[in-house]
């Protein structure tokens, strides 16, 4: 890659801007404009109408979007047996979910998921989990997902903490279902149960906004032979 003002001259090698491996006289070049990376953030704070799907079925402890608890603002999504409080019935086992689909562009990088959470419950028994699964997977109330967990089990933290899940670039070019699950076993536990707020899904992509200036570079492919009378055929070719 070299500045667009640089024009290759046959018979002379370039002295700067070399990238890649040696491929032994300049013979072709093109000019491209590289757009800067921009960070895309999709945020949910539950303050307005939400498009997440809640899967509560007939479970006793269910997900509610309401004002019982929040980490900033006045609303969040939380587990409750009544909707009015972020508290649960410790003697009724429950498995409930909420989810939303996200499409990650093929060129997306640094994909990450971040959210604020709190959940006390019973150590190792009452907890939240996070999953990223194919959009064809539909969670069922009363049943935990068996695959696709990302991040750690969330349990036994009675105050808000921020979870960050990264290393998700393998999902670029796909549509995935982001699922949050609460599970409790129905034998003992401490208040409060699970609560999630301020979900942020983010990734980097090259900008396609024409108002954002890019950096114009010239891509040069060069061929050189030393004239010593030795070598193998064919000399060189570039395609695709």
């Amino acid at each position: 890659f070299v500045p667009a003002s640089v024009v290759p001259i046959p018979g002379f090698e370039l002295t700067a801007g070399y990238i890649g491996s040696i491929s032994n006289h300049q013979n072709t070049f093109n000019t491209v404009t590289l757009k800067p990376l921009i960070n895309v953030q999709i945020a949910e704070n539950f303050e307005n109408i939400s498009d997440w799907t809640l899967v509560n079925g007939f479970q006793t402890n269910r997900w509610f979007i309401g004002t019982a608890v929040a980490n900033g603002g006045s609303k969040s999504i939380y587990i409750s047996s009544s909707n009015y409080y972020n508290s649960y019935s410790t003697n009724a086992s429950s498995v409930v979910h909420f989810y939303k689909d996200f499409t990650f562009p093929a060129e997306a990088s640094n994909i990450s998921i971040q959210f604020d959470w709190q959940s006390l419950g019973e150590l190792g028994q009452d907890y939240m989990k996070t999953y990223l699964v194919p959009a064809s997977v539909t969670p069922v109330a009363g049943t935990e997902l068996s695959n696709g967990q990302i991040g750690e089990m969330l349990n036994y933290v009675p105050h808000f903490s921020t979870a960050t899940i990264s290393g998700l670039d393998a999902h670029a070019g796909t549509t995935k279902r982001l699922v949050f699950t609460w599970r409790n076993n129905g034998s003992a536990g401490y208040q409060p149960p699970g609560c999630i707020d301020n979900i942020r899904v983010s990734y980097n992509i090259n900008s396609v906004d024409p108002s954002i200036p890019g950096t114009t570079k010239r891509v040069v492919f060069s061929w050189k032979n030393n004239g010593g009378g030795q070598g193998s055929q064919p000399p060189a070719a570039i395609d695709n």
Side-chain angles (χ1 to χ4, degrees):
F1 273 127
V2 295
S5 58
V6 174
V7 178
I9 301 174
F12 293 87
E13 288 189 79
L14 296 178
T15 58
Y18 171 76
I19 60 173
S21 57
I22 294 175
S23 53
N24 280 332
H25 192 102
Q26 297 93 318
N27 64 357
T28 185
F29 63 88
N30 201 359
T31 302
V32 297
T33 299
L34 304 178
K35 288 288 191 177
L37 284 177
I38 61 172
N39 181 250
V40 176
Q41 293 204 15
I42 305 166
E44 175 62 78
N45 59 11
F46 300 103
E47 298 299 311
N48 301 303
I49 296 174
S50 172
D51 56 356
W52 292 78
T53 299
L54 280 59
V55 183
N56 287 321
F58 297 100
Q59 304 291 286
T60 299
N61 301 308
R62 293 165 286 170
W63 287 110
F64 290 93
I65 297 173
T67 59
V69 62
N71 190 36
S74 61
K75 292 183 178 180
S76 69
I77 186 166
Y78 51 86
I79 291 295
S80 176
S81 58
S82 67
N83 184 25
Y84 300 108
Y85 306 99
N86 179 209
S87 61
Y88 72 121
S89 174
T90 60
N91 58 6
S93 62
S94 301
V95 179
V96 289
H97 319 271
F98 72 95
Y99 67 84
K100 181 178 177 178
D101 294 349
F102 293 87
T103 297
F104 301 104
E107 69 274 19
S109 62
N110 294 327
I111 299 172
S112 69
I113 297 168
Q114 189 175 74
F115 52 91
D116 301 334
W117 70 278
Q118 68 175 20
S119 179
L120 191 50
E122 182 183 1
L123 182 62
Q125 299 297 323
D126 303 347
Y127 51 75
M128 295 186 294
K129 287 184 178 181
T130 312
Y131 300 85
L132 202 58
V133 297
S136 58
V137 174
T138 301
V140 177
T143 304
E144 291 189 75
L145 296 177
S146 57
N147 295 292
Q149 182 181 345
I150 56 175
E152 301 177 346
M153 181 176 73
L154 306 174
N155 172 247
Y156 227 63
V157 175
H159 53 79
F160 276 105
S161 180
T162 300
T164 301
I165 304 172
S166 55
L168 302 175
D169 288 4
H171 298 288
T174 68
T175 296
K176 293 293 186 179
R177 182 158 289 173
L178 176 59
V179 183
F180 293 91
T181 297
W182 162 264
R183 178 262 191 196
N184 69 277
N185 67 353
S187 63
Y190 299 95
Q191 309 293 347
C195 172
I196 290 177
D197 202 359
N198 303 316
I199 301 170
R200 299 167 296 280
V201 177
S202 66
Y203 52 84
N204 294 333
I205 57 171
N206 286 315
S207 171
V208 294
D209 185 343
S211 68
I212 299 178
T215 301
T216 301
K217 293 287 187 179
R218 182 153 285 165
V219 184
V220 181
F221 296 95
S222 296
W223 159 259
K224 172 191 175 182
N225 76 316
N226 62 13
Q230 297 182 351
S232 301
Q233 300 294 337
I238 295 175
D239 196 4
N240 298 323

